[in-house]
Amino acid sequence: MPRTKEKVEDLAEEGRGLTGALATVLEVAEEKGTVTWSDVSDDISSGQWGRLIETGLLLDADGNGFVIDDPEAVHEALEDSDAAAIDDADDEGSNWTQWDKLAGLGALGMMVGYAVPSIRATVGSTVNLVLGPLLDLGLPFHLVILVVAMLTGLWSTILQDKLMDSELMGKYQARMQDLKERREAAKERGDDAELERIQEEQMDAMGDQLGMFKAQFRPMTWIMLLTIPAFLWMYWMILDQGIGQDAATVIILPLVGTVENWNAAGLGPMPAWIVWYFLCSLGFNQILRKALNVQTSPST
């Protein structure tokens, strides 16, 4: 086992997807007993295949394909390698910097503005210096909301692309799925010793759940730093400045129909202006993610 672990660690240090290639070969070998190049040629490169043979992890089975040298040890070494990769990625990618924490505090502070008129007025009047000229030019309020949705959508997409590590998310999910599958297999075999070992691994993996949450929420703090002031401005304009509250206002929303004013219930208890913002935002975000090829879901 120690020598096998060293070989797997060497492959992990080399990179080039070698540990992933080893995992693919191991899966096929466990399923079929032996593995040939044709079995895995669609999933790994010839260079990766040759390197596995060169390390001695892949042995010739007397001309009947290849077998993994000590598959159980390889399995354990791969798990340790994945766990180490997750820990390293968590240390580098999901730990919050001082600026992240300040952004989160700033966003939370501005959220109080929904209940405190003085904060709402301060934030709203400040943002109005940027968005107010659009209304002064005669742009209807529903189009201004569309512009706000486009700007916040662009900001959110860029931040998710820069700050969210979809590969790290994929590693978290793959590790948890592997533990789940191994637990089910051990239950079917009645292997109590393996079940106990897996339970210990699951306890260790609880830290992964926290790391995954931190990595997912980190870009949200910066997204809220822009979207909350934008929301406060819209709320301030409608509630305190009376925009869209006169009797002549006619508001027709998709999927909702006609509403009396922007602050009237549009969908359930949700005001009309929030419904319109989310409809604009959802559509524009999808277009942006496609155009910029932004990956927001875990990749494996």
Side-chain angles (χ1 to χ4, degrees):
M1 169 63 183
R3 182 60 184 144
T4 300
K5 185 175 182 179
E6 289 177 10
K7 291 178 180 179
V8 175
E9 288 175 350
D10 289 342
L11 291 179
E13 290 178 3
E14 287 184 45
R16 298 186 296 151
L18 287 170
T19 53
L22 179 58
T24 300
V25 172
L26 176 62
E27 182 179 355
V28 175
E30 288 181 331
E31 181 181 342
K32 300 179 62 177
T34 61
V35 58
T36 64
W37 165 242
S38 61
D39 293 328
V40 295
S41 59
D42 291 338
D43 300 313
I44 70 174
S45 68
S46 58
Q48 291 170 329
W49 173 262
R51 184 70 182 105
L52 296 181
I53 296 174
E54 183 181 334
T55 59
L57 291 169
L58 200 56
L59 303 176
D60 187 7
D62 298 326
N64 296 317
F66 291 81
V67 295
I68 296 289
D69 181 31
D70 197 352
E72 184 177 349
V74 169
H75 208 297
E76 292 179 7
L78 282 172
E79 289 170 4
D80 292 341
S81 176
D82 287 343
I86 288 174
D87 291 340
D88 290 343
D90 181 60
D91 289 340
E92 295 176 4
S94 64
N95 282 345
W96 283 29
T97 66
Q98 181 180 1
W99 294 110
D100 296 328
K101 295 173 183 177
L102 288 174
L105 289 173
L108 288 174
M110 284 186 289
M111 285 183 68
V112 180
Y114 290 106
V116 180
S118 59
I119 296 177
R120 182 171 66 242
T122 300
V123 176
S125 58
T126 302
V127 176
N128 194 54
L129 297 175
V130 178
L131 297 178
L134 296 177
L135 293 171
D136 295 338
L137 291 173
L139 199 65
F141 191 63
H142 68 278
L143 291 184
V144 176
I145 294 178
L146 175 62
V147 171
V148 172
M150 292 170 63
L151 292 174
T152 55
L154 180 61
W155 173 255
S156 301
T157 302
I158 292 173
L159 285 175
Q160 286 175 334
D161 185 40
K162 298 297 183 183
L163 298 180
M164 185 172 287
D165 191 340
S166 58
E167 184 177 352
L168 176 61
M169 299 296 100
K171 287 179 180 179
Y172 284 140
Q173 291 194 355
R175 187 180 182 190
M176 299 307 296
Q177 181 64 28
D178 178 65
L179 287 171
K180 179 181 177 182
E181 291 174 356
R182 287 170 50 209
R183 183 181 180 86
E184 292 174 353
K187 279 184 177 180
E188 291 178 1
R189 296 194 308 268
D191 191 341
D192 293 336
E194 176 69 4
L195 280 172
E196 185 176 346
R197 189 164 70 88
I198 292 173
Q199 187 173 3
E200 292 177 358
E201 290 185 42
Q202 287 179 322
M203 292 297 292
D204 293 337
M206 291 298 291
D208 293 348
Q209 297 290 341
L210 177 60
M212 186 172 180
F213 174 77
K214 286 166 60 182
Q216 286 178 322
F217 195 71
R218 184 186 176 204
M220 286 301 299
T221 61
W222 292 98
I223 290 171
M224 289 189 298
L225 198 61
L226 180 71
T227 55
I228 289 176
F231 266 65
L232 280 176
W233 176 79
M234 290 184 284
Y235 192 41
W236 176 73
M237 289 297 295
I238 293 167
L239 191 66
D240 298 335
Q241 304 302 305
I243 193 166
Q245 302 293 323
D246 56 278
T249 301
V250 177
I251 302 168
I252 303 175
L253 297 178
L255 307 177
V256 176
T258 303
V259 293
E260 296 177 359
N261 55 65
W262 282 114
N263 208 35
L267 192 61
M270 195 177 295
W273 65 274
I274 294 182
V275 174
W276 174 239
Y277 170 85
F278 277 121
L279 288 174
C280 297
S281 182
L282 286 173
F284 189 68
N285 280 355
Q286 292 301 318
I287 294 172
L288 271 176
R289 287 172 185 171
K290 290 288 185 182
L292 300 178
N293 193 27
V294 173
Q295 178 76 24
T296 57
S297 58
S299 62
T300 56

